[in-house]
Amino acid sequence: MKTIKLTMAQAIIKYMTAQKVDIDGEIKPMFAGVWAIFGHGNVAGLGEALYRVRDELPTYRAHNEQAMSHAAIAYAKTMNRRQMMACTASAGPGSVNMVTAAAVAHVNRIPVLFLPGDTFATRMPDPVLQQIENFHDMTLTSNDCFKPVSRFFDRITRPEQLLSALPQAMRVLTDPVECGPVTLAIPQDVQTMAFDYPESFFAEKIHRQRRPGADANELLEAITLIRQARKPLVVAGGGVHYSGAVTELDSFVSSYHLPVGETQAGKGALPWDHKDNMGSMGVTGAASTNTLAAEADLIIAVGTRLGDFTSGSRALINPDAKLLCLNVASFDAIKHKGQSLVGDAKTILPQLQTGLEGWQPDGAWIEKAAQLKAEWDKSVDTATTDRGTNLPTDAECVGAVNRAVGEKDIVVCAAGGLPGELQKLWRTRYDKGYHMEYGYSCMGYEIPGGVGTKMARPESEIFVMVGDGSYLMLNSELATSVMLGLKIIVVVLDNRGFGCIHRLQNACGGAPFNNLLEDCLSTENGAPKTDFAAHAAALGARSEQVHNITELEAALERAKASDISYVIAIDTDAVTVASEGGAWWDVAIPEVSPRKEVQQSRKGYEEQKVKQAKNF
Ligand SMILES: Cc1ncc(C[n+]2csc(CCOP(=O)(O)OP(=O)(O)O)c2C)c(N)n1
Ligand SMILES: [Mg+2]
């Protein structure tokens, strides 16, 4: 057997470069690059290995470990999970900074390879700098925090362990069901230890997307169930994108005039003006889709986790409706007493289409859907039209940005009030045109998410829409975007605080407290007004402050013409949101409180809980 002597770190990197993916017949590297912030836990070992392959597998330097991992997530999400990136950080704080991002990847089922440096396996110099020193369990290090937020975890304490660990890691990263973050904790001493690895271990491996077909009985039962339906509604989730099934979905729903509601992750599955696209569904959904959901006799859920924002905390959907769940993961397919149809959407949707020949939903249902869609389109026009004030709403800003985007451009967002307005109001033209991280809704995803999206789609203009809160939480990768020439356009909506949580607090009967800056502890001078344009300029971006929608529209044109990242700040209304559409969201209200508003809110809450209980 031919062997090759490599350190553990060199072997990981060599193995990574041997992994390829087949995308529509084209063979591409599985790993597009490695995000790295070095420290003593990874600079000598992994750093040396990365340097050697820097032309083939580029290493990107970031400013914050959480943020760079967001970029990796956004990259893999835009690539429909087929191509991905790795993230490495030093032992201790650098690595723990990636744990939040691992959770983002875990919730959203996005593949990222995390390579956190770890403390010495030999323990010879213990305690090393940044070692947490657990008193009761010597095997624990801070990297154990990755365990609940990794789909696969291993700590490589001997170099030869890679022979079993790496194939398993690749299996999870490429498996449509298990897909998610993989963590290989790499102790700094073991990174540098050499082993005679078999050369065959590093043979090129081409990963093809596994497309599990349906079980014959489940398929038959699904067809029978649909045939009995008269008022069906299809819900399109992120799985439609990851399966690459947008064409098959279009063909299926078009054949039978099936109205479709989109989730946050599913948005873009159909173009907004597709006649069967009723708009978004759920808490921040369109009135059209939500009305249909409340009356439907069958929900056909395709590739969705059925999160509370989609189901209206389970109070939105007609309690008498049947639920059919087409999902590659049985974990999701049995949710909410659904009838499961486990398998790949791209494979199974055409089978459903063929199996249903001759069937049609009620004509009145199809007509109703068409009418609701026409009404909803008008509501969107109204909400997004410039009212000409100097304190526009988020919805008006969404309208302005939406009008500025080209056919293949992408809007990126994650947390705050904007995801709701975007889900309701954004008109998506192409399937990857809407990039929302709303599984974890992690503040601070937006800017690095924009950077990762740009890496995946260099030909697209990336429009990041972000609140002042999220911007201030994690903006440092704006500097990275300038450094790497990854141009993004960032529109900062400054409503001087956590607007959406302020509104939620108010809806829960709470006093204005600790959300908008004016309601927070401060000196008598109040909170400073952040000059976002000056801040962005300090990071190397071009920037400007605008004062109304007309100015925003003109600035967006300048931003598009810019060759480097461009930040536009605009002051916005913290209170007004689009009143159209929407549904109840279960946020627990105190059972007892001396505050009248809380008592009142609790009453309304209990009524909704009764509705919710009918769906169990
Ligand atoms: C990391 C993280 N911390 C806290 C939250 C809870 N949270 C959700 S939105 C929000 C406020 C966001 O403020 P901003 O970005 O200004 O958007 P706005 O609500 O004003 O539209 C907070 C605190 C979160 N989603 N993520
Ligand atoms: Mg805000």
Side-chain angles (χ1 to χ4, degrees):
M1 183 176 66
K2 268 186 127 176
T3 60
I4 173 167
K5 196 178 197 74
L6 295 171
T7 67
M8 177 263 257
Q10 291 159 2
I12 290 179
I13 300 306
K14 189 170 173 61
Y15 191 84
M16 282 171 64
T17 57
Q19 307 304 306
K20 302 278 152 56
V21 286
D22 176 343
I23 300 176
D24 302 326
E26 251 189 89
I27 307 303
K28 299 190 168 164
M30 178 167 153
F31 293 96
V34 179
W35 284 100
I37 292 185
F38 293 143
H40 69 95
N42 60 347
V43 71
L46 202 71
E48 188 265 354
L50 284 169
Y51 177 78
R52 288 166 52 160
V53 297
R54 64 194 180 285
D55 293 332
E56 189 183 349
L57 181 69
T59 296
Y60 299 104
R61 154 75 151 78
H63 295 288
N64 175 287
E65 293 90 353
Q66 180 188 341
M68 72 184 190
S69 309
H70 287 174
I73 292 165
Y75 177 86
K77 182 177 164 77
T78 307
M79 288 303 192
N80 283 335
R81 314 197 299 188
R82 304 302 319 286
Q83 283 178 287
M84 59 197 75
M85 303 183 86
C87 296
T88 180
S90 188
S95 286
V96 175
N97 270 354
M98 298 196 294
V99 172
T100 304
V104 174
H106 194 277
V107 181
N108 291 288
R109 292 109 188 256
I110 301 292
V112 178
L113 177 59
F114 288 101
L115 298 170
D118 213 321
T119 49
F120 277 67
T122 59
R123 302 189 189 160
M124 294 301 279
D126 281 12
V128 297
L129 178 71
Q130 301 172 326
Q131 180 166 347
I132 55 168
E133 284 205 288
N134 193 289
F135 284 8
H136 72 271
D137 186 343
M138 297 287 274
T139 68
L140 283 179
T141 79
S142 55
N143 282 337
D144 286 85
C145 297
F146 280 95
K147 285 183 178 172
V149 290
S150 297
R151 292 253 175 240
F152 181 84
F153 178 95
D154 200 358
R155 182 175 281 113
I156 310 299
T157 56
R158 296 180 61 93
E160 59 268 46
Q161 287 172 349
L162 289 182
L163 294 171
S164 53
L166 282 174
Q168 292 296 344
M170 301 306 131
R171 173 186 64 81
V172 173
L173 290 167
T174 56
D175 186 291
V177 179
E178 294 199 39
C179 186
V182 163
T183 302
L184 298 179
I186 44 175
Q188 68 162 288
D189 52 347
V190 188
Q191 284 176 46
T192 64
M193 291 177 187
F195 180 74
D196 291 311
Y197 293 93
E199 260 191 4
S200 58
F201 184 59
F202 303 104
E204 181 179 271
K205 161 101 181 155
I206 299 172
H207 299 269
R208 295 194 166 82
Q209 185 163 10
R210 189 176 300 128
R211 298 194 173 279
D215 169 79
N217 285 327
E218 279 199 347
L219 183 62
L220 215 61
E221 282 167 9
I223 290 167
T224 308
L225 185 67
I226 299 175
R227 279 188 178 280
Q228 288 161 0
R230 313 192 57 166
K231 299 191 284 182
L233 173 69
V234 173
V235 182
V240 174
H241 293 276
Y242 303 141
S243 164
V246 290
T247 314
E248 288 74 12
L249 180 78
D250 186 344
S251 172
F252 172 60
V253 302
S254 298
S255 301
Y256 300 105
H257 307 288
L258 301 177
V260 179
E262 292 176 326
T263 71
Q264 282 278 24
K267 202 167 157 89
L270 297 176
W272 75 274
D273 53 355
H274 186 291
K275 71 174 177 31
D276 298 311
N277 189 348
M278 296 298 124
S280 296
M281 175 162 161
V283 176
T284 50
S288 39
T289 304
N290 286 355
T291 303
L292 294 173
E295 293 176 26
D297 62 358
L298 175 68
I299 304 287
I300 306 172
V302 185
T304 162
R305 303 160 56 227
L306 293 169
D308 61 348
F309 263 76
T310 298
S311 71
S313 298
R314 300 181 72 163
L316 166 65
I317 298 169
N318 175 8
D320 298 324
K322 300 249 166 50
L323 175 61
L324 174 68
C325 294
L326 166 52
N327 205 295
V328 76
S330 58
F331 182 87
D332 296 305
I334 58 133
K335 281 178 178 171
H336 301 193
K337 293 184 295 187
Q339 182 169 313
S340 57
L341 177 56
V342 177
D344 171 53
K346 193 179 178 72
T347 308
I348 296 174
L349 284 171
Q351 294 176 319
L352 284 180
Q353 190 177 327
T354 314
L356 287 168
E357 235 162 73
W359 168 81
Q360 282 266 290
D362 266 4
W365 179 249
I366 297 169
E367 263 171 49
K368 179 171 186 151
Q371 194 185 333
L372 285 168
K373 178 175 171 60
E375 284 165 20
W376 178 249
D377 284 347
K378 279 191 206 138
S379 301
V380 174
D381 287 338
T382 309
T384 53
T385 299
D386 175 14
R387 291 173 306 146
T389 71
N390 282 345
L391 210 58
T393 60
D394 286 2
E396 290 171 74
C397 297
V398 166
V401 177
N402 210 163
R403 288 188 291 275
V405 300
E407 259 334 288
K408 296 275 165 173
D409 293 344
I410 302 173
V411 66
V412 177
C413 189
L418 275 164
E421 302 300 73
L422 283 164
Q423 197 197 2
K424 271 188 193 179
L425 306 171
W426 188 263
R427 288 172 160 166
T428 316
R429 300 195 183 116
Y430 109 105
D431 59 344
K432 297 312 289 180
Y434 183 86
H435 184 121
M436 180 69 67
E437 188 286 286
Y438 211 66
Y440 214 45
S441 186
C442 187
M443 285 173 73
Y445 177 87
E446 297 86 347
I447 289 173
V451 172
T453 307
K454 184 69 179 176
M455 285 178 135
R457 286 281 190 282
E459 68 279 14
S460 300
E461 203 75 80
I462 310 297
F463 292 81
V464 173
M465 294 194 75
V466 62
D468 54 309
S470 264
Y471 182 100
L472 288 174
M473 196 174 272
L474 203 49
N475 52 62
S476 45
E477 300 327 311
L478 193 55
T480 311
S481 83
V482 177
M483 177 167 90
L484 292 174
L486 294 164
K487 180 206 164 181
I488 57 173
I489 297 171
V490 180
V491 183
V492 188
L493 279 64
D494 182 9
N495 57 13
R496 293 151 312 283
F498 302 154
C500 71
I501 308 298
H502 166 76
R503 296 190 296 271
L504 178 64
Q505 185 171 53
N506 182 52
C508 296
F513 171 57
N514 208 50
N515 284 310
L516 294 185
L517 293 171
E518 67 186 38
D519 303 323
C520 299
L521 282 179
S522 66
T523 69
E524 66 274 18
N525 299 326
K529 164 98 177 107
T530 306
D531 185 341
F532 289 96
H535 180 273
L539 294 183
R542 290 210 181 95
S543 61
E544 60 179 300
Q545 174 80 38
V546 298
H547 304 93
N548 53 49
I549 296 293
T550 310
E551 286 184 21
L552 173 60
E553 294 196 303
L556 283 164
E557 293 309 312
R558 287 187 285 278
K560 285 198 278 184
S562 170
D563 55 351
I564 64 167
S565 290
Y566 203 103
V567 175
I568 306 168
I570 182 164
D571 287 354
T572 52
D573 182 338
V575 182
T576 314
V577 286
S579 54
E580 298 85 353
W584 175 69
W585 182 32
D586 189 343
V587 174
I589 312 288
E591 223 173 324
V592 290
S593 167
R595 205 177 142 82
K596 262 210 190 75
E597 293 88 336
V598 176
Q599 293 164 13
Q600 193 115 43
S601 177
R602 174 75 195 184
K603 255 193 217 142
Y605 180 68
E606 283 169 6
E607 283 162 26
Q608 292 292 341
K609 289 298 268 187
V610 172
K611 252 174 111 179
Q612 182 189 54
K614 287 190 186 146
N615 260 321
F616 279 85

